[in-house]
Amino acid sequence: MNKDIILLRTVEVAAIASYKYIGMKDKNMVDQAAVEAFEVMLRNERGFKLKVVNGEGELDNAPMLYVNQFLGDLNDPEVPTFDVSVDPIEGTNPAAYNFAGSISTISISRENTMLQMPEMYMEKFFVKDKYSNLINLSEGIINNVLRLQEFENRKDLRCIILDKPRHNKIIQELSKLGVVTRLIQDGDVLAAIDVVNGEADFVYGIGGAPEGCLMASLALASGCKMQSRLINYNQIWPNEKETESRMEKENAWMSKHNIDTSSILSDYDLVSDERTRFFAAGLTAGGSLKPIKYKKGKFFVNGFMASHGIVRNFSSIYDVNKVNNLKPDIKYLFDKYKR
Ligand code: VTB
């Protein structure tokens, strides 16, 4: 079967599996259900191999979807391998507390084209396709916004930004410039999907670096644009116990890759493959992706896919009885994660 459909189905089923734990205040349970769904859905697939480049962490602390794990067709040396960035649940907090923002997502690209990102913060600027040639993050976000406003000849651009204390000042500045901000608690990958779907003009803010690869794939696959810059832990959390040890790891990663916190990274620096593909499904979702609904034996899930400049939004219906008859792997997950 076509790997695009397989991956789309995988994120949809991962979202359905973790639906069991929505609102139960337990981030790990939500995540584990989705992680198992990925493993089960991909283990028997033939014709391609996936190598986890950005996943749940290193093998020591992540038993599944760990960095360098291979999934898919492990027995046939002839099949092509793809690099993968995967976040079984991006936004475990919104899922655990049942507010908008969580999705299940994966992106793939040709082997050895994805940068393995450090566990680190990243300043990200993701703009709609029309602005692709207009941005330059090295000039700072305000100068970029002024340029976009001039280009549009209006001030009320629509921006999505994480509502974190670290963004208080910039949120004020953007508002003063006349930008209409939408504040989200979590989930900047979903926010980028909203830009692709035309619900906002740009996403700006400091979030996770590994998710940066997913957003880079989305930008390349949809014709949008992303620029980013790594941010040291002490810039966000100067006084934490782990600040020093995290900084050591961050700095080691950066010197190994000849990147520092002034390097502006384009989407292509993170994923050097124009043919990268991006997949997502809404769990608690929000914005342009609807949350999962369950009614009378059917799951209603919003899926999303971007590749080669083609953007697709799906409304998928999983009839539990029919699927159970036809797909033993999904039946196993439906039974185990029945709510
Ligand atoms: C979160 C999350 C984002 O980055 O903000 C996280 O909601 C890091 O920020 O979607 P905190 O440490 O302040 O939570 C993301 O996961 C991804 O960029």
Side-chain angles (χ1 to χ4, degrees), residues 64 70 116 132 137 177 186 204 210 231 247 300 318-319 324:
M64 293 200 243
F70 282 90
Q116 193 167 321
S132 292
L137 192 54
L177 288 179
D186 279 295
Y204 172 75
I231 304 274
M247 295 272 296
F300 298 80
Y318 285 68
D319 183 323
N324 280 349

Side-chain angles (χ1 to χ4, degrees), residues 75-296:
N75 299 319
D76 184 350
E78 300 291 305
V79 299
T81 300
F82 295 90
D83 282 357
V84 159
S85 286
V86 57
D87 208 344
I89 299 293
E90 145 66 355
T92 47
N93 217 29
Y97 290 87
N98 196 7
F99 61 84
S102 62
I103 58 172
S104 179
T105 179
I106 188 170
S107 76
I108 67 167
S109 61
R110 276 178 304 145
E111 196 175 9
N112 299 326
T113 57
M114 248 177 218
L115 190 57
Q116 193 167 321
M117 302 307 290
E119 225 10 89
M120 189 168 177
Y121 283 99
M122 179 182 248
E123 179 188 24
K124 303 175 224 178
F125 186 31
F126 186 108
V127 300
K128 67 179 181 188
D129 49 3
K130 206 170 147 192
Y131 304 158
S132 292
N133 299 319
L134 294 173
I135 64 166
N136 181 358
L137 192 54
S138 68
E139 294 168 6
I141 180 65
I142 293 297
N143 287 324
N144 278 277
V145 170
L146 289 171
R147 186 171 325 113
L148 299 182
Q149 288 179 323
E150 196 182 336
F151 172 79
E152 292 283 16
N153 200 20
R154 60 182 176 83
K155 295 199 181 303
D156 58 345
L157 304 180
R158 297 158 306 162
C159 160
I160 307 179
I161 183 164
L162 288 166
D163 190 14
K164 306 269 178 181
R166 59 179 176 268
H167 293 145
N168 283 351
K169 190 161 164 260
I170 189 70
I171 291 170
Q172 265 186 358
E173 285 176 359
L174 289 170
S175 298
K176 261 196 215 135
L177 288 179
V179 172
V180 180
T181 53
R182 167 144 72 91
L183 303 181
I184 53 168
Q185 294 298 312
D186 279 295
D188 55 11
V189 183
L190 175 58
I193 293 176
D194 282 347
V195 169
V196 173
N197 276 335
E199 284 212 351
D201 299 311
F202 65 92
V203 179
Y204 172 75
I206 297 170
E211 293 81 357
C213 260
L214 282 158
M215 290 163 76
S217 283
L218 174 59
L220 290 159
S222 66
C224 291
K225 185 84 200 158
M226 185 174 88
Q227 289 183 349
S228 60
R229 191 170 67 84
L230 289 169
I231 304 274
N232 271 134
Y233 197 72
N234 68 340
Q235 297 295 305
I236 312 294
W237 308 107
N239 303 318
E240 296 297 307
K241 253 206 316 243
E242 70 264 32
T243 300
E244 209 174 303
S245 62
R246 290 196 57 142
M247 295 272 296
E248 268 169 32
K249 278 191 203 150
E250 294 175 355
N251 292 337
W253 186 94
M254 286 192 288
S255 55
K256 181 176 158 202
H257 289 87
N258 206 12
I259 290 173
D260 62 32
T261 52
S262 68
S263 313
I264 302 298
L265 306 168
S266 71
D267 38 30
Y268 198 80
D269 291 329
L270 305 187
V271 182
S272 53
D273 180 8
E274 298 279 355
R275 290 171 182 269
T276 181
R277 290 141 200 261
F278 174 95
F279 307 81
L283 179 52
T284 61
S288 59
L289 286 198
K290 300 285 161 277
I292 287 197
K293 263 198 326 214
Y294 176 80
K295 212 176 163 192
K296 294 187 179 152

Side-chain angles (χ1 to χ4, degrees), residues 12-84:
E12 289 175 345
V13 172
I16 291 173
S18 47
Y19 177 79
K20 178 179 169 90
Y21 301 110
I22 283 185
M24 293 190 182
K25 293 193 178 182
D26 189 333
K27 296 200 286 190
N28 289 337
M29 299 289 269
V30 178
D31 204 48
Q32 272 168 29
V35 168
E36 184 177 12
F38 268 83
E39 290 240 334
V40 169
M41 294 298 290
L42 292 172
R43 73 180 162 211
N44 293 324
E45 292 302 344
R46 297 283 157 260
F48 63 91
K49 237 190 294 260
L50 303 175
K51 179 183 170 193
V52 178
V53 175
N54 295 294
E56 291 283 275
E58 300 293 330
L59 177 56
D60 311 345
N61 33 26
M64 293 200 243
L65 298 184
Y66 54 87
V67 171
N68 290 330
Q69 183 183 358
F70 282 90
L71 300 159
D73 200 339
L74 305 182
N75 299 319
D76 184 350
E78 300 291 305
V79 299
T81 300
F82 295 90
D83 282 357
V84 159

